[in-house]
Amino acid sequence: MNTKKMKKLCFAATACLLFAFVTLLASCAPDNTPASSSAESSNNENSELSKHESTISDESFSPSSSETESGSSSDASDEESSEPSDDISTEPSASPEESDVTSSQDNSPEPSSEPGEQENSEDISEPPVHVHEWEEADCENPKTCVTCGETTGTVAGHDWQIATCTSAKTCATCGKTEGSAKGHNWKAATCVCAKTCQVCGATEGEANGHDWQGATCTIAKTCKTCQQTTGNANGHQYLDGVCETCGERDPDYQEPITYSQGLAYQVNEDGKTCSVSIGTCTDADISIPPTIDGYIVTEIGEDAFANCANITSITIPDSVTTISYYPFARCPNLVFTQYEQGLYLGTSTNPYHALVGIASDDTGSVVSFKVHEDTKCIADNTFGGCFNMVSIELPNGITRIGRRMFEDCERLESVHVPGNVTQIAAGAFQGCRNLERVTFEGTVTQWDVITKGNFWNDNVPAAEVVCSDGTVSLA
């Protein structure tokens, strides 16, 4: 405690003791003065003392007093306090009875053993300032003082995480939950996958496992449930064109061909190929071999099988490119392959290999004709006498236009020669009096190298051939 305050407290205490002492003396003195004078004097003294105490009290506790005023008051207090202290030390202390009387008259409490400290703690010290001890806001509570409960700001609010298959809607901050879990969306187990949730991927139990069916000739080992395969098919085990395991026939198998015996042949000028005819063969089903005695069979000769009433079928080899005049005339039992108005004989793989005649006996009834696209050769003079034929479509596969093939087709106005043709035989278009346009699918060079027989265009009005890259004069 500072010196100034101590001085003030000591002065106040001295004044109180002085007042008590004066009061005690007044009660003990003889009543020589009139009551009014005594009372007036006592009142004056009391009044002066009260004023003095009031002045001391104001100076002691006034917070607005300056240091200069405090200093002067302090000096005055020092001077005044020095005198009563001498009086107190010389005068005897009052008796307990007198103290009680004085106390009852003043109506003031008995001072404590340390009156300076008591008055300082009650009247001078300021109350302590409250400092908040804040607790941060959470999901449901704002920022709050843990001491006084005061709040500030707003609540933080929940950070909700959506519900999952196994967890309800949950706050990521405080862990509070709301509602219930969604539950799994199960997909049934398969051969390779256990029961599985389609939302979160959780599994339960085990996969069913495959129900395998053994491999066959054409199908690998296969699961009956999911159709998954493993390994390879066993493959066919053919014997004579038939699978010994499943009985399926080999699509590429060709029955061994037994060629007809006794057929006659004539070697051509090239010394490598030959022309074939019936000879001494008596077979009803004629099968012409591709080679005879090392010569390649490329031709069926003129009248080669004519008048053979017992023949029912003829199979020709792929090597045949030329069929001469009337090779199958007067064969009443021979079965042909027919396409539109044409009669065809075939190989083992192509039933339309050769066009050998017209289905109608009246060739004059033919107006337009389309040869089958798989045809490789056309017999000589096939369209001879079709004087009413206006148009003809030839396939790209043919390489030869035979002798007198279109002889006297008087109404034929145009013809398109395929690019694969390498020979136009003698008299091929002889007598085609209205044939004014001939086109060739190949080039001029290719046209020039085609072998052309005598009178192939006799009486044909067309003056040129139109090729793919130019024209060629027919003069």
Side-chain angles (χ1 to χ4, degrees), residues 265-276 288-299 317 319:
Y265 67 92
Q266 182 178 354
V267 179
N268 296 325
E269 293 180 357
D270 60 9
K272 298 178 182 180
T273 62
C274 68
S275 175
V276 71
I288 302 173
T291 62
I292 298 177
D293 295 339
Y295 298 101
I296 300 173
V297 178
T298 59
E299 184 178 350
S319 57

Side-chain angles (χ1 to χ4, degrees), residues 419 421-424 440 443-452:
V421 170
T422 59
Q423 180 183 7
I424 300 177
F440 177 58
T443 65
V444 170
T445 301
Q446 288 175 305
W447 175 263
D448 289 340
V449 299
I450 291 176
T451 301
K452 304 173 184 69

Side-chain angles (χ1 to χ4, degrees), residues 10 19 26 36 51 55 71 88 91 116 138 149 156 200 202 239 250 256 270 284 328-329 344 353 395 450:
C10 291
F19 177 75
S36 60
K51 288 180 181 180
T55 302
I88 294 171
E91 293 293 332
D138 58 22
C200 68
L239 178 63
D250 183 0
D270 60 9
F328 309 106
Y344 298 84
H353 181 82
I450 291 176

Side-chain angles (χ1 to χ4, degrees), residues 325 379-385 400-409 412 423-433 435 451-460:
Y325 291 117
D380 293 345
N381 198 233
T382 298
F383 301 103
R400 177 178 180 270
I401 296 178
R403 290 179 299 171
R404 302 179 183 276
M405 183 178 291
F406 297 101
E407 184 179 29
D408 296 331
C409 291
L412 187 62
Q423 180 183 7
I424 300 177
F429 295 97
Q430 186 175 3
C432 295
R433 301 178 186 278
L435 184 58
T451 301
K452 304 173 184 69
N454 295 331
F455 312 112
W456 73 271
N457 61 337
D458 190 27
N459 293 324
V460 172

Side-chain angles (χ1 to χ4, degrees), residues 238-250:
Y238 290 115
L239 178 63
D240 295 333
V242 179
C243 179
E244 295 180 302
T245 304
C246 66
E248 182 177 325
R249 295 187 63 83
D250 183 0

